[in-house]
Amino acid sequence: MYSRLFLNCYQRQSLVMLAEREPQVHQLFHRCLISTDDILQQIIREQRPKYSFESGFFDRDDLERIGIVREEVEFETYTDARSLLLDVVSQEGYAVLVGDVFYWPHCPEYTTKHLVHTILLKGYDPKTAEWSLLDDNPASLLCAYTYPEELIAAGFDNGELRRVRYFTTKPFDAQEAGVETRHAFSRLLERYQDSYTLLSDVGELISCPWIAPERAVAALHDAFSVYQGTRAGLGEYIRRTCVAPDVEAVVDRIVRQAEGVMNQLLLGKVTGSVDPGRLTDACRGLKADEQELLVRLKAVDEARESK
């Protein structure tokens, strides 16, 4: 559920910890009603990396609705940030540190590439001067690591964004939060628009003579990764809020078909070629299901409003 298909490193790491503490985090996934037009614009046309995709996910109001307060503090140096890190980890059990992958040995980019990244600090041992932390391994599985403090400091001090992120909690009414989230979802649904160009014109993009085939395949792989991740998240929200079994079935079908498209594109990244006809057929089915999903979601929403 909390994969890197759609979520960036900060969101994914934080959600894993938040879900252990607050059973209402599934309410956040109402934000996964994201149009394929938004994905096309940001990932294909603007060529943004996946981790920079803007969606409104982790919106402060969404978090505070379920009693979670998001905090972020910027520092000049690790030395300046150290006392806050120790306090937050002691009180909350973890803190998110923003730094640079170049300095952390478990990252694939270690000593070769500078890139903004987050790690989740879990504990500090004053006897050994080491931090314990969680982060993705090269296979995108969260693993535990232990590093000397100087490595954590180096990653922070040389990072483009030197920030500490953490969460605190406050009392909230779970029933009221559920109702308010449904209203927020209704507003998203009311404003939702999608031309489905990503799905209907995918074959043309693969065959475009102005884009190197390998670049087109890589961009589409990222786009459909975001797409599959959003629909998996939307399915989680639908399942947990009992929207309707028929809606859930359509979302599940979309997720499975999107995974099939992802597999085609992944094979294309390895072999250097993708069958445009096969890809077009798969995306045609996705477009039909997306249109059906929208109709069913609106029908459920209208039925609720009429009660």
Side-chain angles (χ1 to χ4, degrees):
M1 186 64 251
Y2 309 127
S3 74
R4 293 288 297 277
L5 287 171
F6 162 56
L7 303 173
N8 62 34
C9 53
Y10 161 59
Q11 294 165 344
R12 174 240 207 343
Q13 293 164 2
S14 300
L15 274 174
V16 169
M17 305 307 295
L18 290 171
E20 291 181 352
R21 293 157 170 78
E22 177 45 62
Q24 296 295 320
V25 293
H26 67 274
Q27 304 279 4
L28 301 175
F29 285 95
H30 80 283
R31 285 279 181 179
C32 288
L33 183 65
I34 294 167
S35 73
T36 62
D37 283 350
D38 282 343
I39 298 171
L40 173 66
Q41 180 63 34
Q42 295 188 46
I43 303 298
I44 303 295
R45 291 175 176 156
E46 297 176 8
Q47 298 186 29
R48 294 189 192 183
K50 284 200 312 173
Y51 59 80
S52 292
F53 185 81
E54 294 182 5
S55 65
F57 196 81
F58 257 35
D59 178 82
R60 286 187 183 275
D61 289 341
D62 293 346
L63 288 164
E64 292 196 19
R65 192 180 297 129
I66 57 173
I68 298 170
V69 181
R70 190 183 76 193
E71 307 283 3
E72 179 171 303
V73 185
E74 186 172 356
F75 293 95
E76 285 296 321
T77 68
Y78 171 81
T79 300
D80 296 335
R82 189 175 187 273
S83 61
L84 177 64
L85 284 170
L86 292 171
D87 288 345
V88 170
V89 170
S90 175
Q91 294 171 19
E92 305 296 335
Y94 66 101
V96 179
L97 180 137
V98 185
D100 191 327
V101 294
F102 186 90
Y103 299 91
W104 297 325
H106 68 282
C107 296
E109 302 86 355
Y110 176 57
T111 72
T112 63
K113 185 177 180 179
H114 294 279
L115 189 68
V116 174
H117 186 54
T118 65
I119 55 176
L120 200 151
L121 300 179
K122 290 276 291 176
Y124 179 74
D125 187 340
K127 295 181 180 179
T128 61
E130 292 179 327
W131 276 104
S132 59
L133 62 108
L134 293 179
D135 193 13
D136 287 327
N137 68 6
S140 292
L141 299 175
L142 281 178
C143 295
Y145 301 93
T146 301
Y147 285 153
E149 187 171 22
E150 57 264 27
L151 281 185
I152 303 300
F156 186 84
D157 288 340
N158 294 286
E160 181 180 347
L161 300 177
R162 294 179 294 278
R163 297 175 183 174
V164 174
R165 297 169 178 167
Y166 62 100
F167 302 87
T168 58
T169 58
K170 64 178 183 179
F172 74 101
D173 185 307
Q175 184 174 359
E176 181 180 344
V179 171
E180 290 179 357
T181 300
R182 285 197 295 274
H183 289 162
F185 185 69
S186 294
R187 291 191 294 272
L188 288 175
L189 190 59
E190 184 180 1
R191 297 193 301 266
Y192 188 85
Q193 292 183 331
D194 201 335
S195 71
Y196 306 109
T197 302
L198 175 65
L199 303 177
S200 58
D201 292 358
V202 66
E204 294 180 19
L205 181 58
I206 287 289
S207 305
C208 178
W210 304 106
I211 304 174
E214 61 273 15
R215 181 68 191 96
V217 170
L220 281 170
H221 185 270
D222 282 355
F224 276 89
S225 170
V226 173
Y227 172 63
Q228 183 188 354
T230 62
R231 286 349 186 223
L234 183 60
E236 178 73 1
Y237 174 73
I238 289 170
R239 273 188 292 276
R240 296 289 295 275
T241 54
C242 301
V243 171
D246 59 338
V247 179
E248 183 180 336
V250 177
V251 177
D252 288 344
R253 189 165 68 240
I254 288 173
V255 172
R256 290 194 301 271
Q257 291 186 79
E259 183 178 10
V261 171
M262 282 275 289
N263 289 338
Q264 288 189 51
L265 293 167
L266 181 59
L267 182 62
K269 290 178 70 174
V270 175
T271 63
S273 65
V274 173
D275 183 342
R278 185 182 173 201
L279 193 62
T280 298
D281 287 343
C283 289
R284 187 180 296 118
L286 279 170
K287 179 181 177 180
D289 282 339
E290 281 287 326
Q291 292 171 324
E292 180 183 353
L293 174 64
L294 190 60
V295 170
R296 290 182 181 273
L297 282 173
K298 287 184 175 181
V300 170
D301 192 58
E302 289 171 2
R304 277 180 169 168
E305 289 299 318
S306 65
K307 289 182 179 179

